[in-house]
């Protein structure tokens, strides 16, 4: 093939950029290229805003102040950083969902390219944004959405490494630039450029609306949630302390979860209808069911199922507890629904065990067998595991339980662990649905993949606010999570630990979840998921100390959509009213 001339290559590049001029009569192509106005950085030294769409978080906000934007022009000053995030050129942002970048170019101009220069350094917790959403406007009110551009470099690239994520070939007249940039752990950006010309030779802007996720909370009792209205997390696992069987549930332990009981443990009503069984993360041999510690193998997955399917504990005990409750309260409609966690198939596991009977142990290690082979083997594991659950479930033939859903145990989408992580999750979800169940997830606070939960194959998701565990977080955290979850079709996990029974500050932090649920309507409009420290609500139900027992009573009121109280006196008054009604 004949080699192109430099001039022809230049013309081709202009065509691809949408910026080629049609030659005037009698003018040569070379003359036209020479006459073309070169692109310049129209954003240079312009001011902008680079903010979270939510209130600044009092826990994470101060941490990112170590990498500030001192001038308000640091990202448009023309200064690029190297491979160290500590260089002055970088602005660092931490968690809090994503950032909106808004820039006024001062006047309508022709925009060709919008570029974001960013850093990845995985050991430091600095990730490239998975994708950036771009929009432009001529008047600041009518916007043209230009689409999203994904990271071109692998999400698993250890780094430190840089790349520019750019929307190219825009060739449109506009004055304002807007971007949504996800912040999943740390984001470091050193420069944002808008390349174009100071004229109006580009195309006329065509306003359109950016696609938005389904808004609204997951409806309680809906098909999406597997019919669950109120779900409680039930942990089981090895315990190095005494009593050694503490992280397990007998029939008596389930009583105040299946039923709402009074202080004499007499049943008054049904309570939780969803029970999520999941393993305590760390095992005594140092392995871990999520992405920390040493990787688990087939024997560990089976150990979890061995515990869950015991007759006198966990599922067997729950079945008997439900049967007993139905006998005590005949005529009341109730169905106990079960969700079982899928432990994380680790990308650093080289010897998981043979799950397909070919005599070869599955190698899930991405670094050893590559992305494609590791993905295939990880999917073998998740499908084997789902089949194993159904095999054991059918063998038990529980009389009063219904298996409705599976839960993805890892609390973030590990793009940094595998470039095909989303495929493992999505295809696992497809397999679960082929069996007639749903697939659910509970990511931690703005965890990686939180707003892509649906695209990743989950039917329902609820976010952990982690407000309870961050002592310097203010109650604004709850309004932020309520807004973010509602805007992205998610529910909210409600969190408490045993300390809430004895520590007034933590008890009030728990009540802040309930207050937010009432104020932002996820109390009634969403299925609710409750995290507890093993048996916190069991302890509260049995307590003879009023402020401890109150934790259990308020939880019940919340679940029934009757949560109105702000003091123990008001609660007692409400309780008396209900007794008189009965």
């Amino acid at each position: 093939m004949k080699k192109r001339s430099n001039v022809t290559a230049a013309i081709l590049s202009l065509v691809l950029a949408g910026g080629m001029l049609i030659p005037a009569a009698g003018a040569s192509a070379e003359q036209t290229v020479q006459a073309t106005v070169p692109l310049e950085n129209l954003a240079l030294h312009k001011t902008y805003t680079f903010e979270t769409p939510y209130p600044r978080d009092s826990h994470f906000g101060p941490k990112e102040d170590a990498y500030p934007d001192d001038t308000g022009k640091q990202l448009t000053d023309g200064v690029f950083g190297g491979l160290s995030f500590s260089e002055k050129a970088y602005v660092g942002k931490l968690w809090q969902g994503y950032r909106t970048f808004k820039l006024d170019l001062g006047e309508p101009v022709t925009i060709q390219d919008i570029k974001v220069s960013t850093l990845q350094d995985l050991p430091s917790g600095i990730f490239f944004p998975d994708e950036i959403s771009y929009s432009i406007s001529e008047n600041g009110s009518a916007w043209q959405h230009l689409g999203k551009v994904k990271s071109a470099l692998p999400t698993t690239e250890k780094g430190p490494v840089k790349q520019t994520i750019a929307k190219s070939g825009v060739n449109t007249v506009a004055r304002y630039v807007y971007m949504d940039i996800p912040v999943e752990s740390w984001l470091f950006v050193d420069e944002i450029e808008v390349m174009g010309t100071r004229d109006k030779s580009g195309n006329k802007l065509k306003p359109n609306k950016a696609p938005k996720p389904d808004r609204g909370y997951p409806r309680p009792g809906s098909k999406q949630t597997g019919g669950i209205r109120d779900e409680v997390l039930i942990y089981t696992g090895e315990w190095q302390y005494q009593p050694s069987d503490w992280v397990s549930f007998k029939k008596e332990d389930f009583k105040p979860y299946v039923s709402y009981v009074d202080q004499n443990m007499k049943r008054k009503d049904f309570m939780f209808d969803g029970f999520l069984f999941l393993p305590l993360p760390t095992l005594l041999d140092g392995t871990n069911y999520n992405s920390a510690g040493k990787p688990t193998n087939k024997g560990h997955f089976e150990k979890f199922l061995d515990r869950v399917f015991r007759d006198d504990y966990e599922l067997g005990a729950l079945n008997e507890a439900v049967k007993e409750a139905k006998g005590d309260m005949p005529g009341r409609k109730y169905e106990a629904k079960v969700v079982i966690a899928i432990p994380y198939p680790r990308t650093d596991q080289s010897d998981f065990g043979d799950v397909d009977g070919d005599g070869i142990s599955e190698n899930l290690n991405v670094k050893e067998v590559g992305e494609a082979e590791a993905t295939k083997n990880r999917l073998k594991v998740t499908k084997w595991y789902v089949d194993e659950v159904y095999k054991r479930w059918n063998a038990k033939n529980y009389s009063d339980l219904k298996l409705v859903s599976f839960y993805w145990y890892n609390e973030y989408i590990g793009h940094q662990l595998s470039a095909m992580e989303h495929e493992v999750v999505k295809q696992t979800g497809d397999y679960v649905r082929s069996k007639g169940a749903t697939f659910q997830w509970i990511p931690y606070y703005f965890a990686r993949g939180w707003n892509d939960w649906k695209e990743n194959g989950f039917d329902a998701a609820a976010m952990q606010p982690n407000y309870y565990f961050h002592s310097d977080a203010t109650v604004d955290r709850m309004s932020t999570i309520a807004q973010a979850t509602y805007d992205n079709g998610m529910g909210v996990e409600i969190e408490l630990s045993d300390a809430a029974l004895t520590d007034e500050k933590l008890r009030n932090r728990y009540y802040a979840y309930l207050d937010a649920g009432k104020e932002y309507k996820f109390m009634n409009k969403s299925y609710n998921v409750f995290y507890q420290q093993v048996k916190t609500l069991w302890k509260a139900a049995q307590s003879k100390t009023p402020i401890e027992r109150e934790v259990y009573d308020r939880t019940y009121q919340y679940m029934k959509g009757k949560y109105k109280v702000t003091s123990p006196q008001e609660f007692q008054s409400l309780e008396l009213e209900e007794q008189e009604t009965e």
Side-chain angles (χ1 to χ4, degrees):
M1 180 181 289
K2 197 172 182 180
K3 189 175 181 181
R4 289 193 181 100
S5 69
N6 290 336
V7 172
T8 305
I11 294 172
L12 179 60
S13 67
L14 285 169
V15 171
L16 293 175
M20 181 177 177
L21 300 178
I22 300 175
S28 67
E30 289 85 353
Q31 290 172 326
T32 303
V33 171
Q34 291 173 357
T36 301
V37 179
L39 302 183
E40 63 174 300
N41 180 10
L42 302 170
L44 193 63
H45 304 307
K46 294 290 193 300
T47 58
Y48 52 81
T49 60
F50 192 31
E51 302 170 336
T52 169
Y54 312 113
R56 172 183 161 94
D57 189 83
S58 56
H59 176 76
F60 291 109
K63 297 180 188 303
E64 68 181 25
D65 289 344
Y67 309 97
D69 186 348
D70 291 327
T71 65
K73 295 183 179 180
Q74 196 165 319
L75 298 181
T76 57
D77 62 3
V79 179
F80 290 82
L83 295 179
S84 173
F85 65 85
S86 62
E87 294 181 41
K88 188 66 175 176
Y90 283 105
V91 173
K93 300 295 182 181
L94 180 63
W95 296 117
Q96 302 175 74
Y98 59 97
R99 297 298 184 276
T100 59
F101 179 87
K102 299 178 182 178
L103 172 68
D104 180 0
L105 296 171
E107 61 181 342
V109 293
T110 296
I111 296 174
Q112 293 294 351
D113 309 315
I114 306 171
K115 302 179 178 182
V116 180
S117 176
T118 182
L119 174 74
Q120 178 158 290
D121 186 352
L122 295 187
S124 301
I126 302 169
F127 303 150
F128 287 138
D130 292 330
E131 61 184 16
I132 297 176
S133 175
Y134 300 81
S135 298
I136 56 175
S137 174
E138 193 165 7
N139 57 16
S141 58
W143 293 87
Q144 179 178 338
H145 178 61
L146 302 175
K148 297 179 179 180
V149 178
K150 289 187 172 293
S151 168
L153 291 182
T155 54
T156 54
E157 184 73 38
K158 181 179 178 181
V161 61
K162 290 185 65 178
Q163 73 165 315
T164 296
I165 302 175
K167 181 62 181 177
S168 301
V170 178
N171 192 35
T172 301
V173 176
R175 173 176 171 174
Y176 300 91
V177 173
Y178 175 94
M179 286 179 280
D180 281 336
I181 306 177
V183 182
E184 302 165 323
S185 189
W186 278 103
L187 169 75
F188 275 81
V189 178
D190 57 347
E191 196 69 14
I192 293 177
E193 302 171 284
V194 178
M195 307 303 296
T197 55
R198 295 182 184 278
D199 56 39
K200 298 182 181 180
S201 60
N203 298 323
K204 182 178 175 60
L205 186 136
K206 298 178 180 178
N208 63 357
K209 291 184 178 180
K212 291 187 176 181
D214 295 335
R215 300 186 76 206
Y217 303 118
R219 289 185 297 107
S222 64
K223 182 179 179 181
Q224 177 186 6
T225 68
I228 294 171
R229 302 186 67 87
D230 297 289
E231 180 174 300
V232 62
L233 276 61
I234 303 295
Y235 282 93
T236 183
E238 298 177 331
W239 188 248
Q240 59 181 310
Y241 309 104
Q242 294 298 322
S244 59
D245 66 344
W246 174 247
V247 191
S248 58
F249 280 70
K250 298 176 290 187
K251 181 184 74 171
E252 295 75 17
D253 299 328
F254 277 118
K255 184 175 182 178
Y257 294 91
V258 173
S259 314
Y260 172 62
V261 296
D262 63 19
Q263 289 184 312
N264 297 316
M265 298 301 285
K266 181 181 177 181
R267 302 181 201 275
K268 306 292 288 184
D269 195 2
F270 283 106
M271 199 157 172
F272 290 101
D273 66 336
F275 300 84
L276 166 54
F277 288 87
L278 62 174
L280 204 65
T282 305
L283 290 93
L284 297 185
D285 63 4
T287 58
N288 198 295
Y289 282 112
N290 55 36
S291 57
K294 296 190 297 184
T296 46
N297 58 30
K298 182 185 178 186
H300 297 111
F301 280 42
E302 291 172 325
K303 177 180 285 190
F304 168 57
L305 293 182
D306 288 344
R307 291 183 66 89
V308 170
F309 282 93
R310 290 179 293 176
D311 290 335
D312 296 329
Y313 296 88
E314 276 64 88
L315 285 176
L318 176 61
N319 188 66
E320 292 305 308
V322 172
K323 187 187 301 183
E324 189 175 273
K326 286 182 174 180
D328 288 349
M329 296 184 290
R332 299 198 187 195
K333 187 178 180 181
Y334 175 78
E335 183 178 58
K337 305 166 190 73
V338 170
V339 184
I340 295 181
I342 300 176
Y344 186 56
R346 295 273 294 263
T347 58
D348 57 349
Q349 174 56 271
S350 305
D351 184 18
F352 182 83
D354 179 18
V355 300
D356 58 2
D358 63 359
I360 301 173
S361 178
E362 318 305 338
N363 189 339
L364 318 183
N365 196 312
V366 172
K367 293 180 179 179
E368 293 180 1
V369 298
E371 289 282 3
E373 184 68 14
T375 298
K376 182 180 74 173
N377 292 337
R378 294 175 75 201
L379 285 167
K380 278 185 185 180
V381 167
T382 59
K383 291 176 181 178
W384 158 79
Y385 178 85
V386 170
D387 288 344
E388 185 66 19
V389 168
Y390 275 107
K391 175 183 173 183
R392 296 182 184 219
W393 182 273
N394 293 333
K396 291 294 184 181
N397 194 28
Y398 296 113
S399 59
D400 290 88
L401 303 179
K402 183 179 181 181
L403 177 59
V404 299
S405 190
F406 287 82
Y407 168 76
W408 187 249
Y409 191 72
N410 209 31
E411 295 177 351
Y412 65 93
I413 304 300
H415 294 299
Q416 67 271 35
L417 304 175
S418 170
M420 298 181 71
E421 181 82 355
H422 59 289
E423 281 299 319
V424 174
V425 179
K426 186 175 184 302
Q427 291 188 44
T428 298
D430 290 341
Y431 192 70
V432 163
R433 280 183 288 276
S434 76
K435 297 291 187 177
T438 63
F439 196 31
Q440 61 171 256
W441 186 43
I442 311 174
Y444 57 75
Y445 169 90
F446 289 120
R448 203 164 197 186
W450 72 275
N451 59 337
D452 294 328
W453 63 269
K454 198 169 189 177
E455 290 81 353
N456 285 317
F458 296 109
D459 296 292
M463 197 194 306
Q464 305 171 33
N466 298 146
Y467 168 69
Y468 184 89
F469 305 105
H470 292 158
S471 59
D472 52 355
T474 63
V475 75
D476 284 348
R477 170 79 66 84
M478 293 309 304
S479 62
T480 290
I481 296 299
Q483 179 184 339
T485 53
Y486 182 86
D487 287 345
N488 289 273
M490 303 175 73
V492 178
E493 182 183 73
I494 298 166
E495 300 163 310
L496 79 159
S497 70
D498 290 358
L501 304 182
T502 55
D503 186 315
E504 183 180 8
K505 288 183 178 179
L506 285 175
R507 187 163 55 250
N508 288 335
R509 291 182 91 79
Y510 173 59
Y511 291 153
Y513 285 72
L514 307 187
D515 292 342
K518 180 184 176 185
E519 180 178 356
Y520 297 103
K521 304 188 188 314
F522 57 82
M523 176 177 76
N524 292 319
K525 301 288 187 180
S526 177
Y527 90 118
N528 289 293
V529 180
F530 286 77
Y531 166 85
Q532 56 165 349
Q533 184 186 339
V534 187
K535 300 176 185 176
T536 303
L537 291 174
W538 175 85
K539 286 185 173 182
Q542 296 190 104
S543 177
K544 301 302 181 183
T545 304
I547 57 173
E548 295 182 8
R549 167 70 195 198
E550 182 188 347
V551 170
Y552 179 72
D553 291 328
R554 287 197 184 196
T555 302
Y556 168 74
Q557 292 291 333
Y558 179 92
M559 290 168 57
K560 298 303 177 181
K562 299 177 181 179
Y563 180 79
K564 302 176 182 178
V565 296
T566 56
S567 70
Q569 292 77 20
E570 288 180 55
F571 178 81
Q572 291 169 5
S573 175
L574 178 62
E575 195 173 47
L576 287 172
E577 287 178 16
E578 290 181 345
Q579 291 174 357
E580 290 171 1
T581 302
E582 291 178 358

